[in-house]
Amino acid sequence: MHFDYSPKVQDLQARLQAFMDAHIYPNEARFMDEVAANRARGNPWRPTELVERLKPLARAAGLWNLFLPNSPRAPEGLSNLEYAPLCEIMGRVSFAPEVFNCSAPDTGNMETLERYASEALKDRWLAPLLRGEIRSAFLMTEPEVASSDATNIQCRIEREGDELRINGRKWWSSGAGDPRCAVFILMGKTDPQAPRHAQQSMVVVPADAPGVHIERALTVFGYDDAPHGHMELRLENVRVPASHILLGAGRGFEIAQGRLGPGRIHHCMRSIGAAERALELMCQRLTRRVAFGKPLAAQSVWHERIAESRCLIEQARLLTLKAAYMMDTVGNKVAKAEIAMIKVVAPNVACQVLDWAIQAHGGAGVSQDFVLAQSYANQRTLRLADGPDEVHRMAIAKLELARHQVQATTELEPPVTRGC
Amino acid sequence: MHFDYSPKVQDLQARLQAFMDAHIYPNEARFMDEVAANRARGNPWRPTELVERLKPLARAAGLWNLFLPNSPRAPEGLSNLEYAPLCEIMGRVSFAPEVFNCSAPDTGNMETLERYASEALKDRWLAPLLRGEIRSAFLMTEPEVASSDATNIQCRIEREGDELRINGRKWWSSGAGDPRCAVFILMGKTDPQAPRHAQQSMVVVPADAPGVHIERALTVFGYDDAPHGHMELRLENVRVPASHILLGAGRGFEIAQGRLGPGRIHHCMRSIGAAERALELMCQRLTRRVAFGKPLAAQSVWHERIAESRCLIEQARLLTLKAAYMMDTVGNKVAKAEIAMIKVVAPNVACQVLDWAIQAHGGAGVSQDFVLAQSYANQRTLRLADGPDEVHRMAIAKLELARHQVQATTELEPPVTRGC
Amino acid sequence: MHFDYSPKVQDLQARLQAFMDAHIYPNEARFMDEVAANRARGNPWRPTELVERLKPLARAAGLWNLFLPNSPRAPEGLSNLEYAPLCEIMGRVSFAPEVFNCSAPDTGNMETLERYASEALKDRWLAPLLRGEIRSAFLMTEPEVASSDATNIQCRIEREGDELRINGRKWWSSGAGDPRCAVFILMGKTDPQAPRHAQQSMVVVPADAPGVHIERALTVFGYDDAPHGHMELRLENVRVPASHILLGAGRGFEIAQGRLGPGRIHHCMRSIGAAERALELMCQRLTRRVAFGKPLAAQSVWHERIAESRCLIEQARLLTLKAAYMMDTVGNKVAKAEIAMIKVVAPNVACQVLDWAIQAHGGAGVSQDFVLAQSYANQRTLRLADGPDEVHRMAIAKLELARHQVQATTELEPPVTRGC
Amino acid sequence: MHFDYSPKVQDLQARLQAFMDAHIYPNEARFMDEVAANRARGNPWRPTELVERLKPLARAAGLWNLFLPNSPRAPEGLSNLEYAPLCEIMGRVSFAPEVFNCSAPDTGNMETLERYASEALKDRWLAPLLRGEIRSAFLMTEPEVASSDATNIQCRIEREGDELRINGRKWWSSGAGDPRCAVFILMGKTDPQAPRHAQQSMVVVPADAPGVHIERALTVFGYDDAPHGHMELRLENVRVPASHILLGAGRGFEIAQGRLGPGRIHHCMRSIGAAERALELMCQRLTRRVAFGKPLAAQSVWHERIAESRCLIEQARLLTLKAAYMMDTVGNKVAKAEIAMIKVVAPNVACQVLDWAIQAHGGAGVSQDFVLAQSYANQRTLRLADGPDEVHRMAIAKLELARHQVQATTELEPPVTRGC
């Protein structure tokens, strides 16, 4: 057991921090302004010039594709444990991860392609994604069913000769409205008669395939989350080559579990960054504002919340690091309890700290003057995305109960005392 | 002690409910569409044709100005206790209160004018407000200071002959962007040398006075809350007649306490309506969605939350009704502990129930497809508006401690036992 | 709607308060000492001379049998609504209710006998109970099964000629160890083949019937709760006349619902009294202790907790009063949601306030020097007794869902907006 | 960063676990019975024969004095990080730590003597403590003042020639009633005129010194915690040699900070063991009990609580391990924030998990049939012992604020956007 970051990680932290200080924090207002200007001109989904300008700088600084472990195509990729503290730093600013080509849903999609796609598909889609030339979307959730139970997914994928014909409706397909978004990974049902967990498959769908219709953008609380955005799509007789199926027909669940692990832990790392920033803003605000004769920072109700925030964040970070360590050492499958745990813990911690930080800021906290309200909306959504809290808690509980049910047959707990 | 609504109230409830069913619920989407169209055309603050069309219907139905007790100008006005269950019903839909001329901040402003304004000011401003012809704003909070401590307020009101010259910056002036908004009630400092609670005054300011500048609109979790909106204003050498001071110079605090009581309880009544609606939507959604082989409504984690929601709402409603009863019978001043209590309880209850309802809806819950996310943003803001939770809890605690400090001198609690 | 206590109730409150001040509070230490002395002499279950001495005083003061509504045998009995604020006052001291012949489980048992027993049984058992000459126990819960689901109850009642033969094991039979305890009301299974809710019956069992064995006393946290106590009993071929069955064979559930309503609400009223006392002690302690340069009462973390305590107590009291009002006006059956709600709310509120009060007292809070720890143990147990929180929440949720499922068929909630 | 236990620790875990299975768990009822028999014979403080019989076995098994790092007198001592997972296992059973000579308050006292006592004092007191021949108590807290602020401590230590004269009253002196308890470490005031943190000193006091009076035993909830117990003592003109002062007059605070770190973290490790055991019992119980047609373990409300318990425990353990690592690597002083954090987190987590476990057990949960209620009482007390939650949260908050106040001067957070 050893709790220090490695020298390699400490070096990367320092360089990433310097990049954030030089290029990210000073441009937060400019980013918002550029998006607002694009929105006012009628197209909020247009990529910002700011991010496009910063990407080459990040790449030149060696801060690029840090997320992808064990890929010959991304030698700079780190292990999950190494990546965690860097991803956390990026998570402090909403547009930062893209600058380093480390943004959702691309990282999860790239990992999926790296693991499960043919070399041909990798050449076609993974390569430009790794270069940051195109973006991607993940088409899983559907509006008509409780997608938290993935067996509910209805989108139909039918084999017709050498092609797959796809019909269905998807939503919360984040990034699908970006003009650079060139490819989707889609989950759908290839065999409704197969056993419950072998009905689904994942396929690669070019975004410009005929029959792909972007119907509308969803808002998150009041935010459109432009330029990224969350789209509802209709797929009507969309055709792709049969070779676009990943891993094999009926193996969608298997991929989902492999894909969602890294995707989820990246979200958690960023959640911790968001929580740290909220605590920082909270402390700064409380120090500067005076009410009833003393700084808010001197009032013990805020001591309680600051301390509780620090305790929550430290613990969430350690659990995330442990989950990353297990993913690296024993694999995503064995680490499934830990992944489920951080998936519940991290956004809940972030929401709690953000809520206190908002309260500390008064009306300013819910407004556009601070990142807090938008960050809250984002973190609140993560309690639903990639499976709601309840589904992950059920999974954790079943693993826990399984452990004790085995014991239960061999060891009956004795009452401690028998007499009165 | 008697817990039934009076026949008069039950009749009004039935009529209001019928009006909601006929004219409000069926038009919710249309209202949103009209605002969106106005926003797209560049002016989200434009009043909707829908509400303007419904107002005469509500007035004709005898559902108008129900909020104002004991005013010769509004004979239809009810007591606080009578009004509470009606205000709750209106609170279920964001634009409903205005249809009945019962919307914030106008109701609080009308009550203030009724109580503290001269007959001339009443003729000029209260009369058209009661007719629903104009609207109003309340200019209290300032961006530069912790306005939770009202003695911090910096806006300067200087006497110059028969005029008052006003300079300052205000924000969260809700409704000030509405073209119908004709009048402000403003809190500012008339005498910086006076004792701490006698420095402030309230004055009536015509919205079109020279020197009034609307600087920008604030967002609430991404929402612009159009067509109402929340404005930041700059007042630069704004001049009004000295007769526009309410009650007298230095009596701003006194008015604030009188004004905020009714304004706060109206918010609480609406919060309860919002919570009821959230519980309703949650139950409906859980009944319809199936996951892991059974309706979500059959899962005991949701039983816990539904039951807890019902317990929280029932209790918050009873406390609100008791506070209303006390305002009617012993006055706003004596009821200050109860008003502070519901100010804390009601929006917190609504936030909790809304959060569960959002969780029950999955991604749809944070989107524009249901009222939940916007309602959450609204209720969350009410934990800050008119004083943050912490300030009200401090007030409640001081009243409680005062009670026990008196006892403390006369009655020492004895240890229950002395031996081992 | 009317929130003042009636003059009759206010008069009783004043008289009861005076009795508490004169005879109960000053004797708290003496009561503990007398019990401790009895325990040291080997019989903690011996009734105290103190309580026996105070009972005639209470009866003479007209403060006797206040709990029983509508009984010709107890003309002094009040309605539930009238009784609530008096029961709350008694609930502040653990031994006080017995002084006024208003203690559990006797009040629930007396109500059961009054409603469901023959005149002969009433003469034999209800009359001396109402005179405070004997006490009683309720034999429901069993150690081997989850008694929260009453259909699990296994105790066997078999008809043999004119007699009933009873075999089973019961626990948490509070008061059964008291030498004055002369009679039990027992729930058992008369017909295992009957429909699920018609298998159980309630019978009256004399405590001295052959075959009744008191096996041991249970502790609550470390308390034996002497002299009352909680017993585990074994019933082995216990025989009672068949006429001792209440209401009729197979109607045990029906009685349980009738009995438990009043029993539960009495517990809730006392919980509120316990919570009020905890808040009082907390305020007094915080006022007197100084740390880090100022009284604890001046620290805002305690303001939060005091205020939250006050809000919680006020709301729990109002909900309890409303439930009592409904029991009086529409009956226990229609009031079942409200009874379930207060059964969850009141002890949880008391536990929360007590926990804060303990924290405010430091080590003294968990010790014998204050009533707080024992009161916590008592209130914590009430979250399990008469049905755990989870069962009552399930009942509340099912009533709520039923309401919305009907609506669901007739009114589909429309998405608020359709476009993006 | 590395999250596996070292081979050495894994080996010790296995051996300790085997010892627990062979000698501790099977004797839990016997321990309770022996204490009950002693109590019935009039002396609950008598050491049990059971523990005395097991101690040589533990020593022979190499499971002895594991807690003391870097002492030539205890070569078997482990680092804090190594010791943590072993202490956790011991913490699952109340009497287990003593069997391994690893129980409070002796471990903290031995560490204090090792660090701050003269060799003569070490020979006299540390040596027999390390051999498990005598026991010790820590006399810090006082009944008359808020001891959470240690400057409040009033016990007077006056120099008279070569002697110190001690007068004062102490309570919560755990273990002082044990006939084997031979020595106290006492905190008292040597110089009331010195600066606030230099007034206090620590001295070694033989338990049999004339003037030491044990006044009574305190209960924790209803438990006497025999045979250990918590004593209130009066010291009346107690005299010890001046050489018994540790480190030097006026350096009591310095020692307190050094002593309390290890003592606190040991408590936290045991708290995690107690929480683990509660979760285990909860899962077992839920698996075996059926209500409303299915095992409780299949109900989703319990899934939520089991999962939340697992998340809380994992995080608390990681934070405790990190704190131990820091104590080992950078020292107790630098690790003070982490020590304060786990002091708050661990017992709160244990209380929460225990509360759910009690609820899962129904009435049995609060009774003597399971360890849950007593364990709850113990953990609840740890939220007060060695400083209440509030004081530790204040310390954490001040460290956090200090960090941001420095930043505050150099970096003003800019509003994210400036326009509307």
Side-chain angles (χ1 to χ4, degrees), chain A residues 294 296-305, chain C residues 298-302:
Chain A
K294 59 183 170 184
L296 295 172
Q299 301 184 359
S300 56
V301 62
W302 288 109
H303 292 168
E304 291 276 311
R305 293 174 188 169
Chain C
Q299 300 184 359
S300 56
V301 62
W302 288 110

Side-chain angles (χ1 to χ4, degrees), chain C residues 44 52 67 80 82 112 228 253 316 346 354-355 392:
Chain C
E52 293 307 314
F67 70 96
N80 284 294
E82 290 168 329
T112 303
H228 193 55
F253 260 84
L354 280 157
D355 187 76
H392 292 291

Side-chain angles (χ1 to χ4, degrees), chain B residues 1-6 25 28-30 32-33 81 276-277 279-288 297-298 302-308 310-312 314-322 325 329 338 340-342 344-345 349 361 368-371 389-394 396-398 400-401 403-405 407-409 411-420, chain C residues 1-6 25 28-30 32-33 81 276-277 279-288 297-298 302-308 310-312 314-322 325 329 338 340-342 344-345 349 361 368-371 389-394 396-398 400-401 403-405 407-409 411-420:
Chain B
M1 191 104 29
H2 184 76
F3 281 88
D4 292 319
Y5 291 122
S6 73
Y25 295 124
E28 284 193 85
R30 180 182 303 193
M32 291 297 200
D33 290 348
L81 183 61
E276 278 286 3
R277 193 173 192 200
L279 176 54
E280 216 171 279
L281 289 169
M282 170 161 52
C283 289
Q284 290 171 5
R285 179 78 170 195
L286 293 170
T287 305
R288 286 181 199 140
W302 288 110
H303 292 168
E304 290 276 312
R305 294 173 188 169
I306 292 168
E308 198 63 17
R310 173 50 62 214
C311 291
L312 290 171
E314 290 296 317
Q315 291 180 91
R317 180 185 290 117
L318 287 168
L319 190 59
T320 303
L321 291 169
K322 185 180 175 189
Y325 175 79
T329 53
E338 280 72 16
M341 281 191 244
I342 55 166
V344 173
V345 166
V349 163
H361 280 74
Q368 68 269 54
D369 282 1
F370 289 90
V371 296
D389 292 353
E390 291 73 19
V391 170
H392 293 289
R393 289 210 189 95
M394 185 178 68
I396 299 164
K398 290 195 168 168
E400 192 73 25
L401 283 163
R403 209 142 61 95
H404 292 293
Q405 270 166 320
Q407 289 192 318
T409 60
E411 173 215 342
L412 280 170
E413 94 281 13
V416 166
T417 56
R418 289 150 316 221
C420 59
Chain C
M1 190 104 30
H2 185 76
F3 282 87
D4 292 320
Y5 292 121
S6 73
Y25 296 124
E28 285 194 83
R30 181 183 302 193
M32 291 295 200
D33 289 348
L81 183 60
E276 278 286 1
R277 193 173 192 200
L279 176 54
E280 216 170 279
L281 289 169
M282 170 161 51
C283 289
Q284 290 171 3
R285 179 79 170 194
L286 293 169
T287 305
R288 287 182 199 139
W302 288 110
H303 292 167
E304 289 276 311
R305 293 174 187 169
I306 292 168
E308 197 63 16
R310 172 51 62 218
C311 291
L312 289 171
E314 289 297 316
Q315 291 181 91
R317 180 184 290 118
L318 287 168
L319 190 59
T320 302
L321 291 169
K322 185 180 175 191
Y325 176 78
T329 52
E338 280 74 14
M341 280 190 245
I342 54 165
V344 172
V345 166
V349 163
H361 280 74
Q368 68 269 54
D369 281 1
F370 289 89
V371 296
D389 291 353
E390 292 74 18
V391 170
H392 292 291
R393 289 210 189 95
M394 184 179 69
I396 299 164
K398 290 194 168 169
E400 192 73 24
L401 283 163
R403 208 141 63 93
H404 292 294
Q405 271 165 321
Q407 290 192 317
T409 61
E411 172 215 341
L412 281 170
E413 93 279 17
V416 166
T417 57
R418 287 151 318 221
C420 61

Side-chain angles (χ1 to χ4, degrees), chain D residues 212-416:
Chain D
V212 170
H213 304 284
I214 296 184
E215 301 266 296
R216 61 167 180 159
L218 297 157
T219 59
V220 168
F221 289 75
Y223 301 102
D224 60 10
D225 283 354
H228 194 55
H230 313 285
M231 299 298 148
E232 181 168 336
L233 295 95
R234 186 164 47 85
L235 296 105
E236 194 182 348
N237 292 321
V238 173
R239 290 171 189 279
V240 300
S243 63
H244 277 212
I245 235 166
L246 293 176
L247 196 57
R251 300 183 68 178
F253 260 85
E254 199 177 333
I255 300 174
Q257 293 195 325
R259 180 198 185 280
L260 292 176
R264 279 172 187 155
I265 200 168
H266 299 167
H267 275 312
C268 295
M269 296 165 183
R270 287 186 289 263
S271 292
I272 290 164
E276 278 287 0
R277 191 170 195 203
L279 176 54
E280 215 171 279
L281 290 168
M282 170 161 52
C283 288
Q284 290 171 4
R285 179 79 170 194
L286 293 169
T287 305
R288 287 181 198 140
R289 289 276 159 132
V290 172
F292 305 103
K294 60 183 171 185
L296 294 173
Q299 299 184 0
S300 56
V301 62
W302 288 109
H303 293 167
E304 290 276 312
R305 294 174 188 169
I306 292 168
E308 197 64 16
S309 299
R310 173 49 64 215
C311 292
L312 290 171
I313 292 173
E314 290 297 318
Q315 291 181 91
R317 179 185 290 117
L318 287 168
L319 190 59
T320 302
L321 291 169
K322 186 180 175 191
Y325 176 79
M326 291 185 66
M327 290 167 72
D328 291 335
T329 54
V330 296
N332 299 357
K333 201 178 158 71
V334 178
K336 69 185 166 183
E338 280 73 16
I339 295 171
M341 281 191 245
I342 54 166
K343 176 61 180 64
V344 172
V345 166
N348 274 285
V349 163
C351 283
Q352 176 60 81
V353 178
L354 280 157
D355 188 77
W356 282 325
I358 287 170
Q359 194 69 9
H361 280 74
V366 301
S367 81
Q368 67 267 56
D369 281 2
F370 290 89
V371 297
L372 300 166
Q374 187 157 11
S375 189
Y376 180 88
N378 183 23
Q379 295 301 322
R380 180 64 187 82
T381 304
L382 289 179
R383 291 184 47 210
L384 296 161
D386 285 350
D389 292 353
E390 291 73 18
V391 170
H392 293 290
R393 290 211 190 93
M394 185 178 69
I396 299 164
K398 289 194 168 170
L399 290 168
E400 193 72 26
L401 283 163
R403 207 142 61 95
H404 293 295
Q405 270 165 321
V406 173
Q407 290 192 317
T409 60
T410 57
E411 171 214 343
L412 279 169
E413 94 281 15
V416 166

